[in-house]
Amino acid sequence: MDFNKKNLPDLFQGSVGDLIKSFDSFFNESMKYAGHYFSQPISDLTCYETGSNMVIEAELKNCRKEQIQIYMLRNGQVKVSVENISSTTAKNDKDEIILKNQSVQKVERIVVLPCSPGTGKIKATFKDGLLRVIIPKREQAETIIEID
């Protein structure tokens, strides 16, 4: 069987080539509007202790203060939630809507605190894409447990 490399491009002309072009066009056009589905608003989250506080810091790219919610949960857990609601509309030359896309993206991260939170006021700030939550520690005295 003789294989001729010159005939190979002929395979992609005609109906098979049109089919491949249709697939390429579909995926290229679809991916233009799908980029925000793959980005994560909470990219880096750390928790550390200072002398009398626990601090949670989260880098929240392209977020506004109104999108962020912080919840103090039971058992020393803190939930950081970011919700993004977006809408995209594309029109043609005749001002007809050819694409309308609405999406809601909600990302949550739960942080288990290294020790019990105190009863003091919890403070949160958001500046330049950095969320900082300061939680006072509960003062705990060391206790000796008697063995029966």
Side-chain angles (χ1 to χ4, degrees):
M1 185 166 156
D2 189 21
F3 181 73
N4 187 352
K5 291 182 182 179
K6 293 179 182 178
N7 291 334
L8 188 60
D10 292 339
L11 177 67
F12 295 108
Q13 293 180 4
S15 60
V16 175
D18 293 340
L19 179 65
I20 292 172
K21 287 178 186 176
S22 295
F23 278 122
D24 284 345
S25 174
F26 171 76
F27 286 110
N28 287 336
E29 289 299 313
S30 298
M31 295 311 282
K32 283 182 187 177
Y33 303 103
H36 66 278
Y37 290 114
F38 301 111
S39 63
Q40 291 293 330
I42 304 176
S43 62
D44 188 25
L45 190 136
T46 57
C47 180
Y48 60 90
E49 294 181 59
T50 63
S52 59
N53 296 314
M54 294 171 284
V55 180
I56 299 171
E57 290 182 342
E59 186 178 320
L60 305 176
K61 296 179 180 179
N62 303 320
C63 290
R64 296 181 316 277
K65 179 181 166 183
E66 299 79 31
Q67 297 175 284
I68 305 166
Q69 292 183 328
I70 306 164
Y71 303 93
M72 182 59 120
L73 306 175
R74 293 184 233 170
N75 303 327
Q77 296 178 341
V78 176
K79 178 168 62 171
V80 177
S81 176
V82 178
E83 185 174 72
N84 184 24
I85 300 171
S86 65
S87 177
T88 305
T89 303
K91 296 183 179 184
N92 62 11
D93 296 339
K94 298 175 184 174
D95 206 33
E96 299 170 329
I97 296 175
I98 58 171
L99 173 73
K100 186 166 187 169
N101 182 10
Q102 295 177 331
S103 67
V104 176
Q105 180 186 27
K106 187 170 187 175
V107 177
E108 298 177 338
R109 295 277 302 266
I110 295 179
V111 178
V112 178
L113 298 175
C115 58
S116 298
T119 57
K121 183 168 173 58
I122 298 172
K123 298 177 185 176
T125 59
F126 183 65
K127 184 177 180 183
D128 298 328
L130 181 67
L131 174 68
R132 179 175 286 148
V133 183
I134 301 172
I135 305 165
K137 290 182 191 177
R138 178 185 295 173
E139 293 184 23
Q140 296 178 343
E142 192 171 297
T143 306
I144 296 175
I145 301 171
E146 296 292 327
I147 303 172
D148 292 333

